[in-house]
């Protein structure tokens, strides 16, 4: 059996309230979003999430580190090697950067799972983190948030086994950045909804459930990526899930869309509340889509002392103005 042995998360302490965003952006924003400090980026946030994940774990047992981000600090310099040094991991490990897709975090989980199953690594640390810059005066200013998630994948002491997965790859241009772009670009919302996100997520989830002879009612929680809150509500209805009892809070009004780290962070939120035997449906989107079935084991009780999502949400300082 291979799966998630431990998890960790990091959310910057600073928050920007909807009230302040409405003063600048024009109204309609609710809740708040997490904002990285001036001395934070995807790498430093990833280190903090990894430290949370490795609490009580012998660092010498980690054989590989995969870092996933669309906003790594370097273009020609491996961020994973810096992270390994900051975490004081062994020198003789494999370090890998995965980038250029919002699905990089869950793709890294797949690679880590395959490495453990193939016995080329006993334990693999997977870290997903993003710190994206929104276009000025755009909807992304209130939507984007900063954060990081980490998982330790192994074959022993598994807290959540990944029982099945399904993947789809698509060449679809919805959100992107070119070589010298600092801010994201995007196509029209309806085009993304009708030709990209909705059909691909529906298809990947339905295909996975069909292969396992399951229905949406068979899951305790669903951790679903969505570009924004409206599309999240739409996909929940489309999949036939109970929004009140089955769907994990996507944190749009508490943290924001954290890019590569978003689906992993929602999954951690579900694991924090999970009990042994629970089934979790995870779905992610970006250059295609993927869906996973996770089964929680009794080992989950041993790792509920992490900062995770809940404790990070409680630790916050509100910014008093947009300029800061």
């Amino acid at each position: 059996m291979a799966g998630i042995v431990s998890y960790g998360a990091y959310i910057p302490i600073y928050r920007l309230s909807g009230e302040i965003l409405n003063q600048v952006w024009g109204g309609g924003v609710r809740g708040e979003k997490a904002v990285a400090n001036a001395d934070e980026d995807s790498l430093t946030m990833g280190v903090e999430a990894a430290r949370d994940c490795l609490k009580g774990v012998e660092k010498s047992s980690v054989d590989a580190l995969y870092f996933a981000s669309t906003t790594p600090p370097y273009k020609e310099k491996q961020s994973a090697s810096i992270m390994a040094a900051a975490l004081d991991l062994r020198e003789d490990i494999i370090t890998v950067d995965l980038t250029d897709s919002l699905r990089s975090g869950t793709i890294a989980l797949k690679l880590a799972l395959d490495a453990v199953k193939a016995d080329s690594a006993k334990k693999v640390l997977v870290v997903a983190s993003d710190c994206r810059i929104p276009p000025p005066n755009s909807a992304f200013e209130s939507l984007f948030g900063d954060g990081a998630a980490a998982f330790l994948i192994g074959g022993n002491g598994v807290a959540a086994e990944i029982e099945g997965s399904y993947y789809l790859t698509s060449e679809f241009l919805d959100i992107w950045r070119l070589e010298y772009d600092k801010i994201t670009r995007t196509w029209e919302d309806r085009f993304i909804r009708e030709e990209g996100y909705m059909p691909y997520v529906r298809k990947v989830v339905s295909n996975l459930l069909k292969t396992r002879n399951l229905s949406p009612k068979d899951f305790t929680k669903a951790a679903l990526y969505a570009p924004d809150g409206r599309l999240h509500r739409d996909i929940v209805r489309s999949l036939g899930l109970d929004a009140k009892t089955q769907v994990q809070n996507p944190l749009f009004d508490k943290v924001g869309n954290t890019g590569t780290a978003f689906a992993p962070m929602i999954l951690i939120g579900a694991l924090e509340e999970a009990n042994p035997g629970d089934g979790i449906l995870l779905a992610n989107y970006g250059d295609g889509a993927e869906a996973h079935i996770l089964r929680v084991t009794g080992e989950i009780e041993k790792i509920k002392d992490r900062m995770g999502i809940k404790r990070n949400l409680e630790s916050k300082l509100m910014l008093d103005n947009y300029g800061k």
Side-chain angles (χ1 to χ4, degrees):
M1 179 171 67
I4 297 171
V5 175
S6 180
Y7 59 75
Y10 177 74
I11 300 171
I13 195 170
Y14 285 117
R15 307 288 199 276
L16 194 60
S17 71
E19 181 181 2
I20 291 178
L21 283 167
N22 286 330
Q23 294 173 5
V24 178
W25 193 66
V29 180
R30 293 179 295 178
E32 60 197 42
K33 74 169 192 173
V35 181
N37 202 353
D39 61 351
E40 293 183 308
D41 61 13
S42 60
L43 177 57
T44 64
M45 292 192 299
V47 169
E48 292 302 319
R51 285 175 175 160
D52 188 33
C53 179
L54 293 176
K55 183 178 180 180
V57 176
E58 179 57 53
K59 292 181 179 180
S60 62
S61 67
V62 178
D63 298 316
L65 168 59
Y66 300 164
F67 176 56
S69 177
T70 65
T71 55
Y74 294 95
K75 289 187 176 179
E76 190 172 334
K77 171 76 177 77
Q78 193 182 69
S79 296
S81 63
I82 303 173
M83 185 175 291
L87 295 171
D88 198 26
L89 301 183
R90 298 189 340 251
E91 189 178 43
D92 61 332
I93 68 169
I94 299 295
T95 55
V96 179
D97 284 2
L98 294 100
T99 187
D100 297 340
S101 172
L102 294 178
R103 203 154 51 92
S104 297
T106 45
I107 291 173
L109 281 178
K110 163 67 172 172
L111 298 179
L113 194 66
D114 287 348
V116 170
K117 288 182 176 180
D119 204 28
S120 65
K122 298 296 184 183
K123 291 180 180 177
V124 180
L125 179 61
V126 173
V127 181
S129 178
D130 252 336
C131 187
R132 295 188 291 169
I133 301 175
N137 198 31
S138 73
F140 288 146
E141 279 201 286
S142 61
L143 179 62
F144 284 2
D146 304 323
F151 298 98
L152 187 63
I153 306 300
N156 296 313
V158 173
E161 181 186 5
I162 302 176
E163 293 185 337
S165 303
Y166 200 96
Y167 300 86
L168 293 172
T169 297
S170 166
E171 171 22 49
F172 184 80
L173 200 61
D174 49 7
I175 297 175
W176 73 95
R177 282 187 294 119
L178 298 177
E179 174 70 13
Y180 298 106
D181 287 341
K182 292 282 188 182
I183 60 177
T184 57
R185 305 186 187 206
T186 181
W187 270 111
E188 193 266 335
D189 287 350
R190 188 174 61 177
F191 174 65
I192 296 173
R193 166 193 163 87
E194 296 180 1
E195 300 298 331
Y197 176 76
M198 291 294 291
Y200 273 94
V201 174
R202 280 198 303 259
K203 184 177 180 181
V204 78
V205 170
S206 63
N207 285 349
L208 174 61
L209 297 186
K210 187 182 296 183
T211 62
R212 309 292 295 191
N213 195 27
L214 295 171
S215 74
K217 295 180 180 179
D218 294 316
F219 296 94
T220 308
K221 285 290 183 179
L224 309 174
Y225 174 90
D228 56 47
R230 180 175 58 85
L231 280 177
H232 189 269
R233 292 188 292 271
D234 289 347
I235 198 64
V236 167
R237 286 194 296 267
S238 179
L239 295 176
L241 294 163
D242 187 320
K244 293 183 178 180
T245 62
Q246 283 186 290
V247 180
Q248 185 63 31
N249 188 333
L251 305 173
F252 283 113
D253 60 350
K254 295 181 181 296
V255 179
N257 186 324
T258 55
T260 302
F262 197 39
M265 290 176 73
I266 300 171
L267 174 59
I268 290 173
L271 290 173
E272 287 178 324
E273 302 172 1
N275 296 308
D278 284 357
I280 298 175
L281 174 65
L282 170 65
N284 201 5
Y285 172 79
D287 303 290
E290 62 188 77
H292 308 269
I293 297 169
L294 293 91
R295 186 67 57 186
V296 180
T297 76
E299 296 290 324
I300 195 71
E301 303 296 340
K302 298 179 181 179
I303 56 174
K304 289 196 173 181
D305 59 345
R306 306 301 195 253
M307 278 290 290
I309 299 298
K310 284 186 177 180
R311 292 185 177 91
N312 267 296
L313 287 175
E314 294 167 357
S315 175
K316 65 180 180 179
L317 293 172
M318 301 305 297
L319 293 170
D320 56 11
N321 66 79
Y322 186 81
K324 184 175 180 179

